[in-house]
Amino acid sequence: MQVWPGQTYPLGATYDGAGTNFAVYSEAAHRIELCLLHDDGSETAVELRETDAFVRHAYLPGIMPGQRYGFRVHGPYEPERGHRCNSAKLLLDPYARAISGSIEWGESVYGYHFGKPESRNDMDSAPHMMTSVVVNPYFDWGDDRLPRTDYHRTVLYEAHVKGLTMLHPELPEELRGTYAGLAHPAVIEHLTELGVTALELMPVHQFVNDHRLVDAGLANYWGYNTIGFFAPHNAYASWGDRGEQVLEFKQAVRALHRAGIEVILDVVYNHTAEGNHLGPTLSFRGLDNAQYYRLGENQRYYTDTTGTGNSLLMRSPHVLQLIMDSLRYWVTEMHVDGFRFDLAATLARQFHEVDRLSSFFDLVQQDPVVSQVKLIAEPWDVGEGGYQVGNFPPLWTEWNGKYRDTVRDLWRGEPRTLAEFASRLTGSSDLYQDDGRRPLASINFTTCHDGFTLHDLVSYNDKHNEANGENNRDGESHNRSWNCGAEGASDDPGIVELRERQMRNFIATLMLSQGVPMLSHGDEFSRTQGGNNNAYCQDNEVSWVRWPEKGAESDGGMLAFTQAMVWLRRDHPVFRRRRFFHGRPVEGTHDDLSDISWFTPEGGEMTQQDWQAAHAKAMTVFLNGHAISEPGPRGERISDASFLLMFNASAEGLEFVVPVNHGEQWQLMVDTARPEGVVPGRGEKVDGGERITLIGRSMTVLMRPA
């Protein structure tokens, strides 16, 4: 076999049409072997003799796409000093563009013998390991372009590749649970009719099913257990894992882009699947443990701010390079439109504390590729001081956990919620205005993958996670949920009606709030997980979306109502403003009314005493469509209809007076007390000064045409 010196960059395996360049980083290694793996179980070892700046490399002519490979690292095995090299362990390439197979769990993939954590285990792991794969980088993207939908026009839809497609009745069985399933016309049609502009995919980086879960007959369904930051998860491919997963993912992105739908990836750069000091040796640990992971004072152990056993070392230039190279790869080569960063507070821990001035944020800010796509932070981790909602740099948007909590509290009837709810409804200026950000920094959601579905939020007071095998100890215990009078399924017509009304309240509130709304997949169908609020290990019908038959009303009309609310938002810029409200008339408009006003149900303007009243659970909000301060894309003035949003979160019905001097006549657009929620354009007329009754726990929207 010919072995040429090759190049240090790019890292990983790079096919050029005639052969493949291999490059891998390790400061700890004394020697590294590239192992070419053959289908008969044999392997050919090639020592990487060329070394530059701790990167070992070689070019092998004739090595083609589909070739499986791994590394064996010869170096110190001194866990107490942070070194865990062991040439008996076949290691994945951290830069592998594709990964084949799955792990067969057993003692051989660990660096120690079971029951003897301080021992050294020299069993060969290769027969039981996943393997890296050389891929063909060439793909015909045609005229594909990133949609680049502005945030104020964005409607996010968080979804799981398998969960969204596994039970779709119109998908061929071989496409269910796959990237190809995402690209199927039936799925895309649903998303476009719903009004979704961006699909936020739960992890699709190659992840590992934990040993513990496999032994328990479960799986790491959510996928927050990454081992390959460049490789699409192979189990989501419908026709092969020797690089076919890369082509299939690209085809899905291309199809979604053609429909105008962006693809945003939920990425997990805070930890890896290798776990704590008792975890397996799969890649980073065996290459250079001390350079990749944050170690404790006793370097045998790991510092963990993620709850998963380890945290990547964010002050290591090689970790930062890995992350930035990965992000850039997914944008330039895979054409994704942005990222949602899991436990993003950990990425800001350059040393110990969360620091918005950390090197990671500096690198993102100046990167000409990554800085131009959507960047969404999950702004917390489990470490000290990890809850950082509102504290990320100006380039970033954030999952707004305070929005979720406040909206849940309002509709379940918690006292002293109204004032904070007003802030959340109008874009959370208390969180984002001081650092120059705008309402669009707030990613608003009431439900997501982690926690109750919307149906379960109004059907359970307590979590029911017994199927997870942890005696119901896992998952959040304080869910801010309310079961509406009975725990779980109920055939009481009154309870069923109240639950459906509450779900309409949540959807309407979400779509009429300033900021960027995010729906959780299946909530538009009233999807249930049977009260499981931590279904991370349930790769089955507990988690999969049950699609109703076309025309069926089994969802209580939720799909039609959700569609109507999304399109009401998309049709009216007053609900998706790019600047915060001023609370006064806007200069240059012909309207002398404030851009926003707040009223008691009796029609009087809210006073400080009204805001602070413990019993206050109702109000009217006036949104002035003639007082939108931001210009259109060509500098034109934006004008819209005006709206009255009437909220009654109390248990009893209340009379609301339509404020006088803000419009002579209004049209009823939304009434969550009605099963259909009112289809826009068909509601009755209401005069200024007129009294209307809102039943308990309902909301009404009135429109005054522009």
Side-chain angles (χ1 to χ4, degrees), residues 99-418:
I99 292 174
S100 176
S102 59
I103 297 172
E104 296 176 9
W105 289 111
E107 197 171 55
S108 68
V109 298
Y110 291 81
Y112 62 94
H113 293 286
F114 291 169
K116 300 177 181 178
E118 296 190 9
S119 62
R120 173 177 171 138
N121 178 347
D122 288 325
M123 298 170 65
D124 184 9
S125 68
H128 310 287
M129 267 293 291
M130 316 163 85
T131 56
S132 308
V133 179
V134 177
V135 304
N136 187 341
Y138 304 109
F139 180 76
D140 183 8
W141 283 103
D143 59 356
D144 182 71
R145 296 179 63 187
L146 274 60
R148 297 200 181 279
T149 306
D150 291 333
Y151 266 120
H152 70 284
R153 296 183 180 275
T154 295
V155 176
L156 292 165
Y157 186 85
E158 187 196 29
H160 187 284
V161 172
K162 188 172 186 179
L164 183 64
T165 61
M166 195 64 186
L167 298 180
H168 198 299
E170 296 182 48
L171 264 60
E173 190 169 339
E174 65 271 16
L175 299 187
R176 296 182 182 185
T178 69
Y179 302 121
L182 282 182
H184 191 277
V187 173
I188 291 179
E189 180 185 18
H190 171 73
L191 296 174
T192 54
E193 289 182 352
L194 186 57
V196 168
T197 69
L199 195 59
E200 184 178 304
L201 293 176
M202 292 173 65
V204 298
H205 287 175
Q206 184 68 52
F207 61 86
V208 171
N209 279 311
D210 315 56
H211 193 168
R212 176 186 67 84
L213 292 176
V214 171
D215 284 351
L218 300 169
N220 193 314
Y221 169 69
W222 284 354
Y224 293 93
N225 205 33
T226 304
I227 197 61
F229 294 110
F230 294 78
H233 187 60
N234 57 26
Y236 297 156
S238 63
W239 54 292
D241 71 355
R242 297 281 189 94
E244 294 88 351
Q245 63 266 52
V246 178
L247 295 176
E248 190 171 324
F249 181 87
K250 289 179 177 179
Q251 289 165 349
V253 171
R254 185 176 61 189
L256 288 160
H257 281 179
R258 284 175 179 166
I261 298 173
E262 294 183 304
V263 178
I264 295 172
L265 303 188
D266 192 339
V267 289
V268 190
Y269 293 112
N270 52 76
H271 74 280
T272 79
E274 292 186 301
N276 64 15
H277 64 289
L278 299 178
T281 299
L282 308 176
S283 179
F284 309 91
R285 172 173 284 147
L287 277 165
D288 200 328
N289 187 58
Q291 284 294 320
Y292 280 111
Y293 293 116
R294 183 184 292 274
L295 303 180
E297 188 174 341
N298 180 341
Q299 294 186 305
R300 178 183 293 275
Y301 305 105
Y302 296 82
T303 298
D304 176 18
T305 59
T306 65
T308 62
N310 66 58
S311 302
L312 284 173
L313 183 62
M314 295 306 299
R315 65 175 177 270
S316 165
H318 302 286
V319 168
L320 292 170
Q321 180 188 359
L322 172 81
I323 294 173
M324 296 307 299
D325 285 350
S326 170
L327 293 170
R328 211 175 295 112
Y329 172 80
W330 284 94
V331 176
T332 58
E333 297 297 322
M334 308 296 265
H335 285 209
V336 305
D337 303 273
F339 306 94
R340 178 266 189 190
F341 292 80
D342 177 64
L343 301 182
T346 290
L347 303 179
R349 294 183 186 273
Q350 185 169 346
F351 295 98
H352 173 72
E353 296 179 348
V354 177
D355 183 1
R356 59 183 288 165
L357 300 178
S358 69
S359 297
F360 172 70
F361 294 127
D362 290 343
L363 291 171
V364 170
Q365 181 77 33
Q366 59 79 42
D367 190 279
V369 173
V370 179
S371 65
Q372 299 306 302
V373 299
K374 287 183 168 68
L375 302 172
I376 304 170
E378 182 187 37
W380 51 78
D381 65 13
V382 301
E384 183 181 353
Y387 192 75
Q388 293 289 323
V389 173
N391 291 333
F392 275 68
L395 191 65
W396 292 69
T397 62
E398 301 175 11
W399 270 26
N400 190 345
K402 291 187 177 181
Y403 178 94
R404 172 200 60 205
D405 296 345
T406 303
V407 172
R408 288 186 178 192
D409 281 347
L410 177 86
W411 285 116
R412 71 189 179 114
E414 286 295 291
R416 302 188 188 280
T417 306
L418 213 54

Side-chain angles (χ1 to χ4, degrees), residues 10 74 95 208 265 284 316 399 418 420-421 430 454 466-467 489 537 643 671:
H74 301 259
Y95 278 73
V208 171
L265 303 188
F284 309 91
S316 165
W399 270 26
L418 213 54
E420 184 167 0
F421 173 72
D430 58 322
L454 184 59
E466 290 80 7
C537 57
F643 288 85
D671 181 0

Side-chain angles (χ1 to χ4, degrees), residues 20-56:
T20 302
N21 188 82
F22 295 89
V24 61
Y25 157 78
S26 174
E27 289 189 34
H30 299 153
R31 185 162 64 93
I32 296 180
E33 292 175 298
L34 166 68
C35 298
L36 303 177
L37 305 166
H38 310 297
D39 290 342
D40 63 2
S42 64
E43 64 180 65
T44 300
V46 177
E47 184 174 350
L48 301 179
R49 297 182 180 275
E50 298 292 329
T51 305
D52 295 287
F54 300 108
V55 175
R56 296 168 192 260

Side-chain angles (χ1 to χ4, degrees), residues 639-660:
S639 186
D640 190 16
S642 296
F643 288 85
L644 289 173
L645 314 182
M646 296 177 168
F647 297 91
N648 180 15
S650 63
E652 296 78 29
L654 291 174
E655 268 199 347
F656 280 67
V657 177
V658 179
V660 295

Side-chain angles (χ1 to χ4, degrees), residues 436-473:
R437 287 190 284 176
R438 295 184 171 180
L440 304 170
S442 178
I443 305 297
N444 298 331
F445 66 105
T446 52
T447 58
C448 63
H449 70 274
D450 189 1
F452 283 141
T453 65
L454 184 59
H455 174 279
D456 292 356
L457 184 67
V458 300
S459 304
Y460 294 90
N461 285 348
D462 303 303
K463 63 185 180 182
H464 296 269
N465 300 352
E466 290 80 7
N468 295 355
E470 299 180 43
N471 297 316
N472 207 35
R473 292 191 301 267

Side-chain angles (χ1 to χ4, degrees), residues 468-648:
N468 295 355
E470 299 180 43
N471 297 316
N472 207 35
R473 292 191 301 267
D474 63 301
E476 177 61 58
S477 295
H478 182 47
N479 293 282
R480 292 180 160 89
S481 62
W482 177 50
N483 65 18
C484 297
E487 188 74 357
S490 174
D491 56 8
D492 183 310
I495 291 175
V496 171
E497 190 278 328
L498 176 56
R499 288 175 176 175
E500 291 177 350
R501 189 184 341 138
Q502 285 283 74
M503 286 192 285
R504 291 192 290 271
N505 289 333
F506 281 116
I507 292 293
T509 302
L510 179 65
M511 290 303 153
L512 301 179
S513 297
Q514 305 298 323
V516 181
M518 184 184 77
L519 291 165
S520 179
H521 69 325
D523 276 352
E524 71 272 28
F525 301 131
S526 305
R527 181 174 77 91
T528 180
Q529 293 181 166
N532 191 323
N533 75 349
N534 189 35
Y536 76 101
C537 57
Q538 299 296 326
D539 187 5
N540 50 51
E541 294 196 18
V542 170
S543 298
W544 301 341
V545 173
R546 300 175 190 82
W547 291 74
E549 296 293 335
K550 274 199 169 181
E553 290 296 327
S554 58
D555 64 358
M558 274 299 294
L559 176 57
F561 179 75
T562 305
Q563 287 173 330
M565 292 308 307
V566 173
W567 285 100
L568 179 64
R569 176 188 182 84
R570 293 188 69 174
D571 289 343
H572 291 284
V574 75
F575 296 124
R576 41 185 179 82
R577 293 179 51 135
R578 289 176 284 124
R579 296 178 181 170
F580 288 109
F581 290 100
H582 301 284
R584 62 178 185 275
V586 174
E587 292 183 13
T589 66
H590 64 273
D591 196 329
D592 60 357
L593 297 174
S594 176
D595 58 355
I596 187 169
S597 299
W598 309 87
F599 300 93
T600 65
E602 294 77 18
E605 292 210 22
M606 294 277 285
T607 66
Q608 193 67 27
Q609 185 176 357
D610 294 324
W611 286 115
Q612 294 175 348
H615 63 278
K617 299 174 184 176
M619 67 178 176
T620 296
V621 187
F622 168 68
L623 302 180
N624 189 347
H626 292 297
I628 298 175
S629 59
E630 60 266 26
R634 297 182 179 178
E636 74 276 18
R637 193 175 75 82
I638 299 174
S639 186
D640 190 16
S642 296
F643 288 85
L644 289 173
L645 314 182
M646 296 177 168
F647 297 91
N648 180 15

